[in-house]
Amino acid sequence: MTFITTRRQLLVGGASIATVVALGGVHPAFASADRSKIVVRVEKDPVNLDPANRSGPVDLNVLWSVQQGLISFKPGSTEWELDAAEELEQVNATEIRFKLRSGLVFTSGYGELTAEDVKFSFERFIKPNAEGKPVTYAKDWSALDRVEVTGLLEGRIILKKPAPALYTIALADGSGRIISKKAFEALGEKEIATKLIGSGPYVLKQWTPRDQFVLEINPDYKGPIKPHFQQIVGKPISEQKTAEIAFQSNEIDFTAIDPENGKTLSALPDASVTQIPAIDYVWFGPNIEKAPFNDIRVRQALRYAVDIDAILQGAYSGLYPRANSLLAPSLLGHWKDAPVYARDLEKAKALLTEAGHADGFKTKLTIEANARYEAIAQIIQANLAEVGIDVEIEALESAAYWALGNNDASKDLELSLIKYNGKFDPGFQTQWFTSAQVGQWNWQRWKNADFDALHEKGGVTVDPAERAKIYIEAQKLLDESAAFIWITHNLNAFASRNWLKPGVLPNGNNWLYTAFSETTA
Amino acid sequence: MRSASLSIHLAFKLATAFLAVAGSVLLLLALTRLIPGDPATVILGSRATPEAIAALNARIGLDKSLTEQFVGFFGRLLSGDLGEDVFNGRPVLGLVAAALPNTAALAISAMLFAIVLGVPLALLSARWAGRRLDRLIAFLSVGFISTPSFVVSVFLLMVFSVTLRWFPVLGAGESGHLGDQLWHLVLPTAALAAGWVGYIARLLRSSLLEVLSESHIRTLRAYGVSEAKILMKYALKPAVLPTVAVLGMGFGELLGGAVFAEVIFNRPGLGSLIYDAIRTRNYPVVQGGVFIIVLLYVLTNLIADLSQSLIDPRERARLSTGRGGVT
């Protein structure tokens, strides 16, 4: 067969070569040297931008930059600073007085932020909505009795009982954001979820679902926070690997990463990696209502049989810090002298023999399906096999796994591996281990009246030193039960361009977009 | 008589298509509800109270029986309403309408890419059957078919996005900017189409060889007609018929297969919409998205089926006369 080159073929070939040459240039997405705008990766699309019905950190981080609270968290800290409030005073255990800054205005023409807006925003949490249903985060304000307006910009928050956690759980957090009463009345609960009206440093300029959201500096903002970047673009990317590739290709400037990939990413010429110890709590433990785990000697044997350091090496590459109790080192009530259980197979075997299980037994370990938890489960399985305990691993997809918290579905669990995210108040962490949580989120089904009482007492004790003692006592009870084998408090890692200083709070999940800035070095 | 036969054929095909859509959607809805987990737990976080979960389920209508929910879904469907996203009340129709063009663009471009590369490879392979070039094309084709598209995706990203920085990693390009959208389409298209290139090359090669072995082709050769002309003019048209049928089904599969490419390349398409909705148990979005996918799948099959009937002279004759075709 003979091919003769025609003029048409030459033209087509020429065009093809021109296209290839054109494509040889760097795509504009990679070439940005514009320092007035940053692109950050978020794990999912924002879902609901109503502070009372928000769905998680992605929503909250956007809310924080667009709406104000009386107070807000300081960048990189668990402490707070004044925001919309010019003054805030704890008058007594059940009364907080506030005075707002003047001249704060809501976007879209909804007028000045007043004490009426504060009252409306906070009391929404204790009143059912138009359909008679409570808002999602009603619990955050369960201590609230009412908000009294004493002037255009002044008011008093009256509590039913002392609530020291209110500052970090509600006031500085998402449930303390102030929404415009007028806007809510005009738009209704449904529209408020997608039309974000605020008085903060940024406005939500654009939100294309599943593509991106754009925050832009609010020119009318008159508060104390000085945002650095003119625009912050959020790109929802669910897959961590895609996010890391997008970071390597320069399409995004900031992303959470797996700490294990930190070394590779920090080797890039224009990148830096930040690691922040987290305040989560990862542990595994038995359902103590089920035999043989109803015998404390079996639980103690588990604790001696499992090698936590091997788990940290094998499943976390030796990068994550070990947890020895519930509360992370950065939290009030951290138990620094908590016992560190080293692996002791002889002790474990002796305890099992004493409990009548010299030949071991069969059991099941339920985990949320992902590579890391599967690695942990396999190490536990191998460790327990050495003392004769035969572990079958049951890995459930995320939604199916967390459904075990509904309607007593967890009652059939034997061993479970769990990770809970922490908040900045110790009472938030202890609440899931109370007797009332059996059948819901206390999957170990451990009941202890003294622990319940300590949790209650910690929730109303105002003196921080006294509170710290109470939570340490509570953790001692958790330890005595041998129902909780702590693994780690986790580690957060982030990759950013080396000229970018991220505004991340110590829990790692929450970011203050207003605190993102350029590095000075 | 002729038009009556064609009408009956068409009506039968449409009825089958309708039943396929209704049956598939019903089955998928039932399966979705069988897996544990609910949107309330996802919305409220992993440690919500039972009261809050119950209240939210009531608000989004999940406290109703499955039958009521299904009847409600199909009832609303008649008025063109696919329901609302349980998380923020956005209409599902709007979400699907925004996502569909991205998926359709990806599936169409992948199909075109596969045809543009696959057909010449098949022609070259058939022309030099059993020779070195044929063996090379066979090797490449089987390689393309057997390499999973996510592996191809990551490879393409590492080479063309991270190293060369020619093509972007994320999204579907700027809205209203055709050039940017095409640029964003290149890598996912190549990743999605790679397997189909090999598939078309193999399938069409076999058909071509079958046609080339027929007696009328030998006659043409005896008359001195060139091999190129025989291939292009006399063998390609009859040989392409089985490929057309496969492409029809293939387009539907590409729509479904786009899920991987959309997740890896972070394209806001229908596949990733459904993927995210399943993970969060956002039932109305799953229902609406699956309904559209099934509808498109059935429609493309129907079109391929009818096209084949029109291209194939035997089938055309059978429908026209209402009797069995020429054999």
Side-chain angles (χ1 to χ4, degrees), chain A residues 13 21 75 82 123 146 150 157 191 210 240-241 248 267 277 296 358 368 408 412 421 441 446 455 460 470 506:
Chain A
V21 171
L82 293 173
E123 288 188 351
R146 64 191 184 281
T150 55
I157 299 168
E191 271 199 75
R210 306 176 62 244
Q240 179 98 336
K241 193 70 199 161
Q248 287 180 57
I296 191 168
E368 185 182 355
D408 223 8
D412 296 322
N421 291 337
W441 300 107
W446 174 72
H455 169 73
V460 294
I470 291 168

Side-chain angles (χ1 to χ4, degrees), chain A residues 1 23-24 27 30 47 131 136 190 210 236-237 242 248-251 281 397 399 406 420-421 432 440-441, chain B residues 38 41 44 46-48 50 53 59 84 87-88 165-169 180 183 228 264 266 269 272-273 281:
Chain A
M1 191 161 64
L23 292 178
H27 185 268
F30 305 115
V47 169
E131 294 165 357
T136 303
K190 201 167 155 184
R210 306 176 62 244
I237 307 173
T242 303
Q248 287 180 57
S249 70
N250 233 357
E251 274 185 81
Y281 32 117
E397 175 266 342
N406 299 343
Y420 279 176
N421 291 337
W432 315 112
Q440 297 175 51
W441 300 107
Chain B
D38 61 85
T41 310
L44 300 175
S46 56
R47 284 163 283 171
I53 290 173
R59 204 169 81 192
E84 289 177 347
F87 296 117
N88 51 32
R165 298 200 177 177
W166 287 1
F167 298 102
V169 178
D180 194 42
W183 214 324
I264 291 171
N266 214 55
S272 57
L273 178 76
R281 307 292 191 266

Side-chain angles (χ1 to χ4, degrees), chain A residues 399-411:
Chain A
Y401 175 82
W402 290 113
L404 293 169
N406 299 343
N407 304 319
D408 223 8
S410 63
K411 68 179 187 308

Side-chain angles (χ1 to χ4, degrees), chain B residues 257-304:
Chain B
V259 175
F260 284 112
E262 285 177 354
V263 170
I264 291 171
F265 291 92
N266 214 55
R267 286 179 65 84
L270 202 49
S272 57
L273 178 76
I274 296 171
Y275 173 76
D276 289 339
I278 288 173
R279 286 204 308 178
T280 53
R281 307 292 191 266
N282 196 342
Y283 298 130
V285 177
V286 177
Q287 287 163 192
V290 166
F291 170 73
I292 296 295
I293 285 272
V294 172
L295 193 68
L296 287 172
Y297 192 89
V298 170
L299 272 178
T300 49
N301 274 294
L302 187 66
I303 291 167

Side-chain angles (χ1 to χ4, degrees), chain A residues 184-482:
Chain A
F184 187 91
E185 286 169 351
L187 299 171
E189 191 175 75
K190 201 167 155 184
E191 271 199 75
I192 278 286
T194 50
K195 286 190 179 138
L196 186 53
I197 309 294
S199 56
Y202 281 105
V203 292
L204 181 61
K205 182 79 178 171
Q206 183 213 339
W207 177 16
T208 311
R210 306 176 62 244
D211 183 21
Q212 63 175 27
F213 64 82
V214 180
L215 298 170
E216 196 165 279
I217 284 182
N218 177 3
D220 300 323
Y221 171 68
K222 294 185 180 65
I225 297 163
K226 301 280 173 262
H228 181 84
F229 294 103
Q230 180 61 27
Q231 270 198 351
I232 293 183
V233 178
K235 293 268 185 191
I237 307 173
S238 58
E239 294 307 306
Q240 179 98 336
K241 193 70 199 161
T242 303
E244 289 175 10
I245 290 173
F247 181 78
Q248 287 180 57
S249 70
N250 233 357
E251 274 185 81
I252 53 174
D253 301 311
F254 172 80
T255 177
I257 58 165
D258 189 326
E260 287 175 42
N261 296 337
K263 211 170 175 180
T264 315
L265 293 173
S266 63
L268 296 173
D270 62 342
S272 71
V273 168
T274 316
Q275 289 187 342
I276 301 171
I279 58 170
D280 307 334
Y281 32 117
V282 184
W283 79 98
F284 90 98
N287 172 357
I288 69 165
E289 284 181 356
K290 274 205 155 187
F293 302 115
N294 53 357
D295 185 332
I296 191 168
R297 292 169 298 187
V298 175
R299 305 200 293 266
Q300 287 168 335
L302 285 181
R303 195 156 61 182
Y304 282 120
V306 172
D307 189 344
I308 299 298
D309 292 328
I311 291 176
L312 294 173
Q313 277 299 329
Y316 294 97
S317 300
L319 295 169
Y320 285 53
R322 177 171 176 165
N324 299 307
S325 61
L326 170 66
L327 299 174
S330 61
L331 291 173
L332 178 89
H334 169 63
W335 184 20
K336 67 177 185 343
D337 300 321
V340 181
Y341 293 95
R343 192 172 194 222
D344 191 332
L345 286 177
E346 291 314 310
K347 265 190 193 173
K349 282 177 186 165
L351 282 161
L352 284 175
T353 307
E354 204 183 315
H357 299 286
D359 297 328
F361 54 84
K362 280 191 174 182
T363 188
K364 189 171 73 179
L365 170 60
T366 304
I367 64 168
E368 185 182 355
N370 70 44
R372 172 157 289 143
Y373 297 153
E374 277 159 24
I376 295 174
Q378 282 161 12
I379 296 169
I380 292 173
Q381 187 182 45
N383 284 169
L384 294 185
E386 288 186 58
V387 292
I389 301 173
D390 182 6
V391 178
E392 175 201 342
I393 298 167
E394 178 188 45
L396 300 176
E397 175 266 342
S398 180
Y401 175 82
W402 290 113
L404 293 169
N406 299 343
N407 304 319
D408 223 8
S410 63
K411 68 179 187 308
D412 296 322
L413 287 176
E414 292 180 10
L415 292 171
S416 47
L417 175 68
I418 310 170
K419 180 230 167 185
Y420 279 176
N421 291 337
K423 284 208 176 192
F424 298 136
D425 191 84
F428 181 87
Q429 268 82 325
T430 51
Q431 66 180 311
W432 315 112
F433 303 97
T434 58
S435 308
Q437 284 292 322
V438 170
Q440 297 175 51
W441 300 107
N442 181 349
W443 290 359
Q444 269 64 59
R445 304 180 81 83
W446 174 72
K447 290 180 190 168
N448 185 301
D450 292 339
F451 181 90
D452 297 349
L454 285 166
H455 169 73
E456 286 301 316
K457 195 175 165 192
V460 294
T461 302
V462 178
D463 176 38
E466 188 60 30
R467 284 191 88 202
K469 280 186 198 164
I470 291 168
Y471 289 116
I472 289 173
E473 286 308 306
Q475 288 172 92
K476 285 180 180 172
L477 295 176
L478 290 171
D479 181 67
E480 282 166 20
S481 76

